[in-house]
Each structure stands twice: as C-alpha cells, then as structure tokens.
Amino acid sequence: MSDRFEARRKKLLRLLRDEGLPAMLVTAEKNVSYLTGFTGDSSYLLLGRDLAVVISDSRYTTQLKEECPTLDAVIRKTDVSLPQAAARVLRKAKLSQLAFEGQNVTFELHQKLADNLAQVELVPLNGRIESDLRAIKDADEINELRLAVQFAARGFEFLKATLTHGMTEREISHDLEHAMRRFGAEGVSFTPIIAVGDRAALPHYHPGDLKVEESPILLTDWGAQTRSGYRSDLTRVLVTGRPTAKLEKVYNVVLEAQQRAIAAIGPGVVCRDVDKAARETIHNAGYGKRFGHGLGHGIGLDIHEQPRLAPVSETILQPGMVVTVEPGIYLPGWGGVRIEDDVLVTRDGHEVLSNSVPNEFEQAFVDLGN
Amino acid sequence: MSDRFEARRKKLLRLLRDEGLPAMLVTAEKNVSYLTGFTGDSSYLLLGRDLAVVISDSRYTTQLKEECPTLDAVIRKTDVSLPQAAARVLRKAKLSQLAFEGQNVTFELHQKLADNLAQVELVPLNGRIESDLRAIKDADEINELRLAVQFAARGFEFLKATLTHGMTEREISHDLEHAMRRFGAEGVSFTPIIAVGDRAALPHYHPGDLKVEESPILLTDWGAQTRSGYRSDLTRVLVTGRPTAKLEKVYNVVLEAQQRAIAAIGPGVVCRDVDKAARETIHNAGYGKRFGHGLGHGIGLDIHEQPRLAPVSETILQPGMVVTVEPGIYLPGWGGVRIEDDVLVTRDGHEVLSNSVPNEFEQAFVDLGN
C-alpha cells in the first residue's frame, strides 16, 4: 500500500537532486497527502536524502501510524506552533539549504521560518510537485479517477431518471450530490453548475431558484470525489422541452469541436494544438467569439490541475495525464452548450474515461412529466 | 443593502489611518467578500482614502455590478494575470506605501507584487481584518448566524426523528446535510463529525462505516451554512442504547462545565477566564487530563474565527462577538462527551443562540427501532 507513496517521494528526491537542493519542506496539504498517504491536515513533510518526517500534532498520532507507518513523525505539543516545530526539526537536520513551496507558503510563514532558521538558505520551488509529479498519474490514481467518473456517470443517470416539472436548479444539485454519495462517492468534486436556459451562458454559474421547465435547455457540469479525494468533471446539456433548430445546430458544433480535440490527444502532442482543433471548428461555424475559455485542464486531487489545454499552453502531453475536454458556445440572453469528458493520455493515444455517458443530441431528451 | 459593507470599509480605513498607512490590498477571498458583498472568487480589493476598487475578470462583470454597484471595478483581460492587473491599478494610484495580508499573500505573490511595484513599500498587516473587524459581528451578521443555528437545530431534529438501526455514521452525515439543504441551508459548515462509541473520543473524527447500534453513544458535531456563508457549530451526544452510570456521570460533568463557562460570558471578560470556568469543573471531577483542547472559538464566515476561548487567550470579550462553548471529556477506548453551543456576547451579558436544542441527559435518548 505504501509503495506508491515511496515511489512519489523518490521522484521528488530526484527533482531536488537535479536542482542541487538537499531537502524540501512540503506544506501544501494535498501535496503532503500525495507524497505520504496521510489524510489529515495542519501537517508538513520534510523530505531529504535519509530524511522523511511528518510534523503534526496529537490529534493525528494514531492516524499517522496507520496511514504512513514507514515515516518518522514529530508530534508537536499544544504550546509549540507548527512553524516552530518545523524549525526545530530543521535545525536538528543541519541543512544549509531548504526548498519550500512558494506558491503555498504565506509571506507570514516564510518570515517565521526565516527568523527561526538563520543558518539555512530558503529556496522557493514554486508549483513543481504539481507540474512535474502530480500532472502524470500513476496506476492507483488512474483507478481512482475511473471510479470518480463512474460515480458521476451513475449520478447523471439518477438525475435524468428523477428530473420532473417544478424542480429548481438548487434542488437538482442537492439531489445529485445526495445520490452520488449513496453510490459511494465522498461528495461532489465542486458545487455542480445546474443552469436553466440563459444561465447556461455563464460558465461559472451557481445553482439558483430557476425551475427546470422555464427553458428547454438544462446544462449540468458536475463531478464526484472518491474517498481518497480524486475528482471527475463532466458536462452535458439536456433538452427538457421542444428544442429550436438553433439549439440542435449549436449542440452539434460543440460536439464536433470536442470530438476533433479528443481525436488530437496523444503522447508528444503540444497542448495548444488540442485546444486549436476545437477552436477552429467553432470558429469555422461562425461562433469563434462565443468560446471565451480554455479547452480543458488536468484533474486529480484538485479539480483544476496541470496541464492546461489552452491557446498558449506549450506543455507536451505524456502518458498518464488526465485532462478534461470541454469546448462551449455561449450566447448571452439565449443560453449555452458545453460538452465535457475526461480523457486519459495513453502510450499510443488516448482513452475517454467518461464514454459511458451519452453525448449525442438525440440522447439528450428528457420528459419532465406534468 | 450596501451600507453595511461601506461601514466595514470605513472601519478598515480607520485602522489603516491609525497604522499610518494610506491603502491596503485585500486578497483573502472572505475578507474581500466581507468588505464588499461580492460573492465571487479570484478578485482583490484595493482600499484607500478616495479609493475602492475591485480587481476581477470578465466572468464577474455582471455580478460585480449587481453585488457592489458603488465600487469601481477593473476587469482584467485573459492575458493579464491578477497580480499584473493589481500592479497596474496600484501604479496608477501612485502610492508610496501599501498594506497587504501577510497571512494570506503567498511568498510567490509577494515577489510578483514587489517586482512590479519598485516604488511602493509593501507593509504586512497580518490577520487584522480578522481580529479587529470580523471578530465583532454587526446586526446583519448576527441575523445570519441566528439563521445558521436554526438550520442546524432543525437538522438535528430531523436526525433524531429518522435515526434507525443499521445506519452508518456516513449515512447519518449525508442525510443530515441533505435535510438541512432542504430546509434552506446552503450546506454544512464543515463535514459533520458523526462518531459512534469509542470514536467519540477523537475530537476530529471523520464519519466512517460504523453502525449506530454498535454502542449507546452517538456524538454529533455539526453546523449549517447560510447562503451568505455564515456558519453555525453545535455538538450533542445522543444515547441510543442502555447507558452506563459512567456515561451519565461524564455527561453531567461536561454539561455543568459548559453551563458554568456560559454563565461567565459577558463584555469585558478575558477569554481565558471563560475557559478556566469549564476547565476547573472538569478538573475537580477528576477528568482534568481528559479535556485536551481549547474551550471554544469565534464563528462567522469561517468555522474557526477570533476570538479563541483558550487557557492562554488574553482577548477581552466585546458585544457582538459570537463564540462556541464546547468542553469535552475523552476516554480512549471508551468514548467521549462534548456539548457545544453558540453564544452571542451582548451589552449586558450573553445570549445562547442555540438554546432551542435540548441539552439534558434525559433528553438525549433515542429509540433505534429494530
């Protein structure tokens, strides 16, 4: 069980060696969890050659023994702050240099560390665990993401099966979360976007009190989180009333753009070229100005991870990366269509993890009853 | 509607004047929201004399006009980062000094701001909005907290009314959240602690797969969040089987400790003296070593706010502060009892906001059925 965490720590040690740094203080909660398997909070990992210590407090003594038995743990007392405890461990380790996460450590914490560690040169290493390690999923993480997609897929079947006249966006959102939890999910990956009609034109809408029958368009952007914290992210548009020809046209442009982008995904491909495949399709259909966001993003322990599929992204896709592909066309005052799937980069191409969720226009119809 | 936000900004301007600082860049999301009424994310507030600007992006153009019509908004373009946009606004404002939130600004962000603002002295002002402003609730916030307590109280009635043989901690937790949402809550204030038997000895337990009938002790630590983001925080122990004399004894020691602490609350009282009132009662009953955490904490937009009720806290209570009072006795391998209420400091004493939730041992019994 702990092997995968050890493998991740070895990768980080190699990265530190390449940077000429002897050790790193990992402070970001999800990075500590990723590197150790520990699921608590308020704890740091100090990692160096012959050095792997979790600095925590007495709430977590038992949990640390269970979750990371091979790591040393320093349990601070109530009257010693976390930065003070970290400084003590660091002084004992007699390091001359220490890498830290500049994208996570606050100005205040940096000052406290610097005040307590006069002999140590603190070197920022910003976002490297995210870009160099977490962006490429190992076998366990890919299994977790498959599970997160399964929960989401079953949640969407539930939503379609239970959708009726009179339900508000908020009720639909809450029922969806409750159902996915009953299926085994820890919860949602993020507050679902459940948007009726013209609200579907707002890419970051928060579900409100609109009723589902107020428009034939219902956009659902949702995901599930597994107990280990991995997150899926999908979008579908349902047709809940008589559709217009315009809706069918827009839907099919978005679907074609998405399918072209997915087809472009494979190892060695530059991210911006995947974005381009979708963007050109939408541009050629005359909706170029109506797709204002990037094409997609990595998913994992966070809902937005590396790499980004965007017009400026130079990142090269590698096997093990998992990205969303989610083009959209948004027409203010009318509504919007976005279609989103989760795609794994494989050794010889890609695999759509969410391909069990129907995506054709003809499959989008739902009868609301009376 | 916007008056209360203006009143809060005026308070912050007075604080800045007292510190001899001309302006502040507010970056912490909840502090921006507290000072402006804006409910989106990824936005900063720049506040100074004759200066009140929200720096945001195009997702929020409409929302900013609706939520804070009296404030200036700078909408950055997609190719300009938030720190870059902030730096542009700051250069235009021609400030010589600028306060920032050192407890929130990361080392990386601080460097970016410093690189872009060579002429400006950046002065950390750490946690002052939290300690000097948010710790004392205004009338609107007190109403929101009353509502958050109401949702929680009704949720607990639901929990008691629906608790049956075979339910797991996790199911109880999920059903409680779903019910509170149906009553109008935005969601829970935090993942509820639903702990059966010896798990009740772990103050930060996460609900698992234990079934409610496995012990007569069920500890529930839960709260609700209003749509504006205010959070309640309560704890009760239910007796779901034949109780031992020990359980009754421990329960009543905790209740007496809690009631003594609540009786001590009033304006001008030092926080540590409230903690002491509870701690002495537990110590005198012979359980002094079994109460390992502080007595309570402020609640508001965050679940843990200022002030802290703890043995070392020198803070003086003021009217408008709202704190939890939550002593506990934890016996490893046996279980634990904690009783928690939310208490408002008034001009002439205090008011228990959650006094509608029964707290007597005789009221704690629940029949699980068969």
Side-chain angles (χ1 to χ4, degrees):
Chain A
M1 272 297 280
S2 71
D3 292 11
R4 78 187 105 144
F5 303 111
E6 201 180 321
R8 294 172 193 169
R9 291 195 296 272
K10 277 190 182 157
K11 264 196 202 169
L12 180 55
L13 285 171
R14 276 198 296 276
L15 188 156
L16 292 173
R17 196 192 54 203
D18 293 349
E19 296 288 335
L21 291 162
M24 181 165 192
L25 184 69
V26 182
T27 51
E29 190 177 309
K30 284 181 186 159
N31 290 343
V32 173
S33 171
Y34 173 81
L35 292 164
T36 65
F38 174 61
T39 58
D41 55 24
S42 313
S43 303
Y44 298 162
L45 168 69
L46 174 63
L47 187 72
R49 221 185 313 151
D50 313 315
L51 192 67
V53 189
V54 178
I55 303 152
S56 187
D57 60 68
S58 64
R59 289 175 296 165
Y60 293 122
T61 313
T62 314
Q63 194 174 325
L64 278 163
K65 274 181 199 149
E66 285 174 17
E67 292 181 342
C68 20
T70 65
L71 292 181
D72 293 324
V74 169
I75 302 296
R76 67 184 171 91
K77 296 206 175 131
T78 347
D79 59 345
V80 179
S81 71
L82 184 51
Q84 284 171 335
R88 282 187 198 173
V89 176
L90 288 161
R91 281 195 301 266
K92 269 195 203 156
K94 293 202 168 48
L95 298 163
S96 57
Q97 277 187 314
L98 177 71
F100 70 96
E101 300 186 274
Q103 88 290 354
N104 173 266
V105 164
T106 63
F107 178 85
E108 185 179 29
L109 174 58
H110 179 261
Q111 278 215 317
K112 282 186 188 164
L113 290 173
D115 291 347
N116 279 283
L117 296 167
Q119 309 302 318
V120 184
E121 185 198 350
L122 296 171
V123 184
L125 209 59
N126 301 351
R128 292 293 296 277
I129 296 175
E130 289 81 350
S131 63
D132 293 35
L133 276 70
R134 283 176 53 191
I136 298 151
K137 272 68 188 176
D138 59 32
D140 289 292
E141 293 184 287
I142 292 168
N143 284 340
E144 283 290 320
L145 286 170
R146 285 186 197 281
L147 190 61
V149 168
Q150 267 176 39
F151 291 143
R154 190 157 177 209
F156 192 63
E157 281 178 34
F158 168 89
L159 184 156
K160 282 200 289 187
T162 53
L163 201 65
T164 44
H165 205 89
M167 291 179 81
T168 67
E169 296 163 336
R170 204 182 281 266
E171 285 165 3
I172 296 167
S173 168
H174 294 167
D175 284 359
L176 172 64
E177 176 161 12
H178 196 55
M180 291 196 299
R181 284 177 163 170
R182 283 173 45 223
F183 302 148
E186 184 67 26
V188 290
S189 326
F190 56 89
T191 302
I193 300 168
I194 310 282
V196 171
D198 64 347
R199 305 295 141 148
L202 307 172
H204 287 77
Y205 183 61
H206 197 87
D209 298 314
L210 282 178
K211 291 190 174 175
V212 63
E213 66 269 21
E214 289 179 35
S215 154
I217 302 179
L218 180 71
L219 184 145
T220 302
D221 184 343
W222 83 107
Q225 195 189 135
T226 66
R227 294 192 183 180
S228 308
Y230 284 83
R231 290 156 202 254
S232 55
D233 189 358
L234 300 170
T235 306
R236 289 293 185 271
V237 166
L238 292 175
V239 182
T240 58
R242 188 189 284 269
T244 58
K246 186 175 179 181
L247 176 57
E248 181 168 5
K249 187 190 169 194
V250 169
Y251 190 105
N252 283 322
V253 171
V254 172
L255 183 60
E256 189 193 340
Q258 196 223 19
Q259 295 302 310
R260 290 202 180 190
I262 291 174
I265 290 178
V269 174
V270 184
C271 284
R272 70 168 130 66
D273 291 339
V274 181
D275 179 282
K276 199 177 167 188
R279 209 164 293 276
E280 277 186 353
T281 309
I282 290 174
H283 176 84
N284 292 342
Y287 294 107
K289 289 191 177 169
R290 304 307 188 173
F291 172 32
H293 56 74
L295 180 68
H297 53 83
I299 52 172
L301 290 168
D302 281 307
I303 191 63
H304 294 117
E305 294 202 353
Q306 299 298 326
R308 305 287 167 148
L309 301 183
V312 294
S313 173
E314 305 281 343
T315 309
I316 292 169
L317 291 175
Q318 296 180 52
M321 287 179 168
V322 179
V323 290
T324 69
V325 180
E326 46 176 315
I329 293 177
Y330 309 99
L331 306 173
W334 175 81
V337 171
R338 179 168 63 253
I339 301 172
E340 176 181 23
D341 284 281
D342 299 337
V343 181
L344 167 69
V345 182
T346 60
R347 282 191 192 193
D348 50 6
H350 63 264
E351 179 190 341
V352 181
L353 300 181
S354 47
N355 60 4
S356 76
V357 185
N359 63 358
E360 300 284 340
F361 187 70
E362 291 68 28
Q363 298 169 307
F365 288 73
V366 175
D367 183 351
L368 296 180
N370 294 304
Chain B
M1 271 299 280
S2 71
D3 293 12
R4 78 188 105 142
F5 303 111
E6 202 181 321
R8 294 172 193 169
R9 290 195 297 272
K10 276 189 182 157
K11 265 195 201 169
L12 180 55
L13 284 172
R14 277 199 296 274
L15 188 155
L16 291 173
R17 195 192 53 202
D18 293 348
E19 297 287 336
L21 292 163
M24 182 166 191
L25 184 69
V26 183
T27 51
E29 190 177 310
K30 284 181 185 156
N31 289 344
V32 173
S33 172
Y34 173 81
L35 293 164
T36 63
F38 174 60
T39 59
D41 55 24
S42 314
S43 302
Y44 297 162
L45 168 69
L46 175 62
L47 187 72
R49 222 184 313 152
D50 313 315
L51 192 67
V53 189
V54 178
I55 303 151
S56 187
D57 61 67
S58 64
R59 290 175 296 166
Y60 293 124
T61 313
T62 313
Q63 194 174 325
L64 279 164
K65 274 182 201 151
E66 286 174 16
E67 292 181 340
C68 19
T70 65
L71 294 180
D72 293 325
V74 170
I75 302 297
R76 67 185 171 89
K77 295 208 175 129
T78 347
D79 59 346
V80 179
S81 71
L82 184 51
Q84 284 171 336
R88 281 187 199 172
V89 175
L90 287 161
R91 280 195 302 267
K92 270 196 203 154
K94 292 200 168 48
L95 298 162
S96 57
Q97 278 187 314
L98 178 71
F100 69 96
E101 301 186 274
Q103 88 291 354
N104 173 267
V105 163
T106 63
F107 178 86
E108 186 179 28
L109 175 57
H110 178 262
Q111 279 215 317
K112 281 185 188 163
L113 290 173
D115 291 347
N116 279 283
L117 295 166
Q119 308 303 317
V120 184
E121 185 198 352
L122 296 171
V123 183
L125 209 58
N126 301 349
R128 292 293 296 277
I129 296 175
E130 288 82 351
S131 63
D132 293 34
L133 276 69
R134 283 176 52 191
I136 298 152
K137 272 68 188 175
D138 59 31
D140 288 293
E141 294 184 287
I142 293 169
N143 285 340
E144 283 291 320
L145 286 169
R146 285 185 198 281
L147 190 62
V149 168
Q150 266 176 38
F151 291 144
R154 189 157 178 208
F156 192 62
E157 281 177 33
F158 169 89
L159 183 155
K160 282 200 290 187
T162 54
L163 201 65
T164 44
H165 206 89
M167 290 180 82
T168 66
E169 296 163 334
R170 205 183 279 269
E171 285 165 3
I172 296 166
S173 168
H174 294 167
D175 283 0
L176 172 63
E177 176 161 10
H178 196 54
M180 291 196 299
R181 284 177 164 170
R182 282 172 47 222
F183 301 148
E186 183 67 28
V188 290
S189 327
F190 55 90
T191 302
I193 300 169
I194 309 282
V196 171
D198 65 346
R199 304 296 140 148
L202 307 171
H204 286 78
Y205 182 61
H206 197 88
D209 297 316
L210 282 177
K211 291 190 174 176
V212 64
E213 66 270 18
E214 289 180 35
S215 154
I217 302 178
L218 179 72
L219 184 145
T220 302
D221 185 343
W222 84 105
Q225 196 189 134
T226 66
R227 293 191 185 180
S228 309
Y230 284 83
R231 289 155 202 255
S232 56
D233 189 359
L234 300 170
T235 306
R236 288 293 185 269
V237 167
L238 291 175
V239 182
T240 57
R242 189 188 284 268
T244 58
K246 186 175 179 181
L247 176 56
E248 182 169 3
K249 186 189 169 194
V250 169
Y251 189 104
N252 283 323
V253 171
V254 172
L255 183 59
E256 189 194 339
Q258 197 223 19
Q259 295 302 310
R260 291 203 179 191
I262 290 173
I265 290 179
V269 175
V270 184
C271 284
R272 70 167 130 66
D273 292 338
V274 181
D275 180 281
K276 200 178 166 188
R279 208 165 293 277
E280 277 185 353
T281 310
I282 290 175
H283 176 82
N284 293 341
Y287 293 107
K289 288 191 176 168
R290 304 307 189 174
F291 173 31
H293 56 74
L295 180 68
H297 53 83
I299 51 172
L301 290 168
D302 280 308
I303 191 63
H304 294 116
E305 294 202 351
Q306 297 299 324
R308 304 288 167 149
L309 301 183
V312 295
S313 173
E314 306 280 344
T315 308
I316 292 170
L317 291 176
Q318 296 180 52
M321 287 180 167
V322 180
V323 291
T324 69
V325 180
E326 47 175 315
I329 293 177
Y330 309 99
L331 305 175
W334 175 81
V337 171
R338 180 169 62 253
I339 301 172
E340 176 181 24
D341 284 281
D342 298 337
V343 181
L344 167 68
V345 183
T346 60
R347 282 189 192 193
D348 50 6
H350 63 264
E351 180 191 340
V352 181
L353 300 180
S354 47
N355 60 5
S356 76
V357 186
N359 63 357
E360 300 284 341
F361 187 69
E362 291 68 29
Q363 297 169 307
F365 288 73
V366 175
D367 182 351
L368 296 180
N370 293 305

